[in-house]
Amino acid sequence: MRKMLLIRLVAGLPLLLPVPVTAAGTMQPGLWEITSTLEMPGMPFQPPPQTVRHCYTDEEVSREPLPTDDSCRVTDLKTAGSKVSWKIECQGEAAGQGEGEIVRLGDSAYEGKTRMQMQGMTVTTRYKAKRLGECR
């Protein structure tokens, strides 16, 4: 049961990740497609890649990076050129820590990874995102 909670939490990270990207001020609002792949050593199976679409508003891409949840907080946020990196600490049932980075590929694409250590396992999420156009 706890492993499924961990999988759901980590699988949801790609939607949260554009928040640090916006800190560099180059992400365009619009419809984005984000594909994530989980790597979980020691699991009997690897989940298939997951693709989601999200319409980011002007407000979402212009706000300051904030913790995404009361149980997690982003620390050590750094921007260097087209790369944004951070650390994250979570408390409660999903207690753990991790780090991530995003590399912007212009203003309409990015790729990156996050590594989380939770409940005795390390989960790496790799993701790629691209802007598909305007929201409808």
Side-chain angles (χ1 to χ4, degrees), residues 15-48:
L15 278 179
L16 307 175
L17 293 173
V19 174
V21 172
T22 65
T26 62
M27 184 175 171
Q28 288 186 1
L31 180 62
W32 283 73
E33 182 175 83
I34 305 159
T35 300
S36 61
T37 305
L38 295 177
E39 299 170 3
M40 299 182 297
M43 291 294 286
F45 69 94
Q46 294 298 309

Side-chain angles (χ1 to χ4, degrees), residues 40-55:
M40 299 182 297
M43 291 294 286
F45 69 94
Q46 294 298 309
Q50 197 175 51
T51 300
V52 297
R53 288 185 177 183
H54 182 75
C55 185

Side-chain angles (χ1 to χ4, degrees), residues 83-127:
K83 180 179 174 181
V84 178
S85 62
W86 66 94
K87 293 183 181 177
I88 188 168
E89 297 174 359
C90 298
Q91 304 297 319
E93 190 173 349
Q97 60 187 9
E99 60 191 16
E101 69 179 32
I102 290 175
V103 177
R104 293 184 321 271
L105 307 171
D107 60 1
S108 60
Y110 66 86
E111 60 184 35
K113 68 179 177 178
T114 301
R115 186 172 63 220
M116 295 291 296
Q117 297 170 336
M118 304 169 83
Q119 301 176 5
M121 69 189 307
T122 300
V123 179
T124 301
T125 306
R126 297 185 188 280
Y127 39 85

Side-chain angles (χ1 to χ4, degrees), residues 2 9 81 96 112 135:
R2 289 183 184 238
L9 288 171
C135 296

